[in-house]
Amino acid sequence: MTALIGFLSAVFWGLLVLSALVFVHEGGHYLAARALRVRATEFFLGLPCPLRLSRKSRSVGTEFGVTPILLGGYTRICGMEGTDDELLAPALDLVTRRGRVRAEEVAEELGCDVDRAYDLLATLSDWAAIRPYYDAELGEKPSQSTWPAAFETTPRDGAHLTEYDRGHDFALPGSTAAGQPHDTGMTPEEFLAHERSRTYLGVGALKRIVMLVAGPLVNIVLAFAIITCSYMVREFSYVPDVSVIGGVEQGTPAEAAGLAAGDQITAVGDTEVSTWNGLVEALEPYLSSGTDFELTFERDGQQRTTLVDLPDGEATELFGILSSVASYRLTPAQAVQATFDYTGQVASYVAQLLNPSHTMEVLDQSSSVVGISAMASEAASESLSSLLILAAALSMSLGFMNLIPVPPFDGGKILIELIQLVIRRPLPQRVQLGLSYVGVAFMLFVFVVVLKNDLVRFVIG
C-alpha cells in the first residue's frame, strides 16, 4: 500500500508540475500571437480532447479551458498548418457569397475533387476565416473526428473583423452573423490576403520568430523570477573568521576547561588571537605535543583565564570547540546577479547536448518524466517552496531545451525561419521534412537514454 501511495503521489505531482510548465510555455506563444494581431482560437490546459470545460472570451474570441488529459497544454494559433493552394481565394469567396456551402458544392463549383475541396475548407477554417457547420439533423456534432458536410461564414463586423480580431465591434453597421452572406467589397484575392495577414504564416518572418521565441522565453523569465525571489528570502550560512566559539563538544578538553558557546578566545598561551584561522594555528603546537596551556577568553564582557589539561605527551586532534556560524541574505542586486549566473550555467549545460563529446555526459545527469515525477513528489512532501524551486529549475531547463536548433523544438523552427530569411525563399518541404526526421530521432534517443537512467536510479535502485 505504501508503494502504491508513493507511486500515485509521484504521478500526481509530476503531471501537475509538467502540465503547469507546458501551459506557461504555450501561454507565451499565445500572448505573443495576440500582441502581433494573429488569431488564436483555443488555449487549454491539457491535451486536445472532446471532453473539456471551457469558456469563450467575448473580447478576443479565444476558447479558454481545461481537458482531462493533463499532460501539458496547447494553443491553436491560426495559420500554422494547412495547404497553400491557388483555389483558396475562390473557395473563400464562394463561402462568403453564399453564407453556407457543402464541400461537394465547392468541389463542383471549383472543378476539383472533394478531397481537395475539404483541404481548402480545412485551411480556411484553421485561419478562422470560415468555420465548420455541424448539422444536428445529419447527426453531426463538434466532437466528431471528421469534418462535417458543410462550412459557413464566421460572424463579422462592418470592418470585416471576426471575433478573434482585436478591435472588432459587432455593433457596427454591416455586421453579419454566422452563416450569413458577407459583402467584402474586395476581390477574392484581396479578401484572401486580408485573412492571411491575421495568421501565423501571413505575417513576416521576424514576427513568426517572436512568436516562437515567446514560449521558451516565458519559461525562462518565470524561472528567473522564482529563483531570484528564493535567493532573496533564503538565509545563507557561513563561518566568520572570528575567534568566537560556536559550540563545545561533550567529553572534550574544551568542555573540561569550562568553555562555552559564545566565548571569545583572545589568547592561547602567550599568543594573542582574534581570528578563527589564527586560533587554529595557535592551538596546533599544544595539541600535537599534548602540552597543557592557558587559554584567555571573554565572557559577558569579562576576561577570564582557564587551564586546558591535555593528556600528557599525547598528540590529539580533538580540542572540542566548534566555529560560530553566521547568516546573511542577498540584496536584490546580488540575487539578480546570482540568478544570471545560474541561468548561464543552465544554458551552457543544455548547449553541451549538441557537442558529441559531452552529449552522453549531459544525458547521464538528466531526468525523464519518471525522474521529474519522483523529484516533484519528494519536493512537495518537503514544502511548497521546495516544489516551486524545483518547478523553476525545470522551467529554466525546458525553456533552453526548446531553443535547441533542431525541429520540432521551437529552436528548430526558428532555425528554418532564419535560413529562409538568408536565402530569401521558402525552404523546400523535403528539406524541412528531413530536418524534422533528424529532430524526432534525436528526441527519441534522448528520451530512451534518460528513461533508462531514471529506471535504474529510481526503480531498480
Side-chain angles (χ1 to χ4, degrees), residues 378-446:
E378 182 179 352
S381 66
E382 293 177 1
S383 65
L384 177 60
S385 61
S386 297
L387 183 63
L388 287 175
I389 292 173
L390 173 64
L394 294 174
S395 184
M396 185 79 75
S397 298
L398 176 65
F400 282 113
M401 279 290 294
N402 265 282
L403 291 176
I404 291 178
V406 177
F409 292 121
D410 292 324
K413 298 174 184 176
I414 293 170
L415 176 63
I416 291 175
E417 293 290 349
L418 292 174
I419 293 174
Q420 293 178 153
L421 270 178
V422 173
I423 65 177
R424 297 174 180 266
R425 64 178 184 274
L427 201 61
Q429 284 297 319
R430 67 178 184 278
V431 176
Q432 295 191 38
L433 189 61
L435 290 174
S436 296
Y437 285 147
V438 172
V440 170
F442 176 73
M443 289 181 64
L444 287 175
F445 170 72
V446 170

Side-chain angles (χ1 to χ4, degrees), residues 202-333:
V203 299
L206 292 180
K207 290 184 177 180
R208 293 197 295 270
I209 291 174
V210 168
M211 283 186 275
L212 291 171
V213 169
L217 182 61
V218 168
N219 278 124
I220 295 170
V221 170
L222 173 66
F224 196 97
I226 294 176
I227 293 171
T228 300
C229 290
S230 71
Y231 277 139
M232 291 174 61
V233 301
R234 176 182 170 188
E235 288 191 342
F236 293 86
S237 299
Y238 71 101
V239 176
D241 193 16
V242 294
S243 57
V244 177
I245 298 175
V248 176
E249 296 181 282
Q250 294 182 350
T252 61
E255 183 187 38
L259 297 175
D263 292 344
Q264 182 172 7
I265 299 175
T266 58
V268 177
D270 297 328
T271 305
E272 294 184 355
V273 296
S274 59
T275 65
W276 187 260
N277 289 331
L279 172 60
V280 172
E281 292 177 3
L283 289 173
E284 198 277 331
Y286 297 102
L287 298 180
S288 61
S289 62
T291 304
D292 299 343
F293 62 94
E294 284 191 344
L295 198 67
T296 304
F297 63 95
E298 288 185 4
R299 177 185 296 173
D300 299 329
Q302 295 182 352
Q303 185 164 293
R304 304 184 183 187
T305 301
T306 184
L307 178 65
V308 178
D309 185 14
L310 297 177
D312 294 337
E314 295 183 14
T316 179
E317 295 182 357
L318 181 61
F319 179 48
I321 59 173
L322 304 175
S323 61
S324 58
V325 178
S327 62
Y328 69 98
R329 288 182 177 175
L330 298 180
T331 65

Side-chain angles (χ1 to χ4, degrees), residues 33-63:
R34 293 300 308 173
L36 296 172
R37 298 182 179 273
V38 173
R39 296 169 181 167
T41 57
E42 296 181 11
F43 182 31
F44 274 76
L45 174 63
L47 297 184
C49 176
L51 299 175
R52 56 175 66 185
L53 291 174
S54 64
R55 179 182 179 278
K56 195 165 189 175
S57 168
R58 291 185 178 181
S59 60
V60 299
T62 306
E63 184 179 3

